[in-house]
Amino acid sequence: MNLVKTEFKSSFALACLKDLKQKQDDLLDDLTASMALEQFIPNVFENGGVKVKVRSKGNKYTITINDKDYDSKELPRAYWKHLKSKLVIKN
């Protein structure tokens, strides 16, 4: 049986750890936002998913969640912060 020695450079290991930390942070953010939305709108994930549409006029945002409109100020802060971070602005 041949043994193979593998050495990892510390910079590679550090890059892997940073990547894992970012993925963990993203998943925790997703979970926190989902829990906040579930608390705000009970049974929102009843059908296994949620349909969200965002419209804006200036700095005023209207969010449609499962065919019901909400002002961004109505939404839980954690959910709106998460949603806003995912927005892509169209020109």
Side-chain angles (χ1 to χ4, degrees), residues 56-61 72-73 80:
S56 68
K57 280 191 177 179
N59 285 338
K60 183 174 168 52
Y61 293 89
S72 61
K73 294 174 183 150
W80 175 234

Side-chain angles (χ1 to χ4, degrees), residues 6-85:
T6 304
E7 291 184 28
F8 289 101
K9 293 187 176 191
S10 61
S11 60
F12 175 73
L14 185 59
C16 289
L17 287 173
K18 284 182 179 179
D19 187 46
L20 285 172
K21 174 73 170 115
Q22 184 61 50
K23 287 178 183 178
Q24 181 184 24
D25 290 347
D26 291 346
L27 288 172
L28 185 58
D29 187 43
D30 291 348
L31 177 63
T32 302
S34 294
M35 289 171 53
L37 185 61
E38 178 80 39
Q39 206 170 30
F40 179 67
I41 307 170
N43 304 319
V44 71
F45 299 108
E46 194 171 79
N47 296 327
V50 64
K51 182 179 164 188
V52 178
K53 181 178 179 181
V54 179
R55 295 181 313 279
S56 68
K57 280 191 177 179
N59 285 338
K60 183 174 168 52
Y61 293 89
T62 303
I63 296 87
T64 305
I65 301 173
N66 291 345
D67 300 321
K68 186 172 180 195
D69 289 343
Y70 299 92
D71 186 84
S72 61
K73 294 174 183 150
E74 291 179 82
L75 297 175
R77 180 185 221 140
Y79 182 73
W80 175 234
K81 181 182 171 190
H82 174 76
L83 186 60
K84 208 159 84 170
S85 74

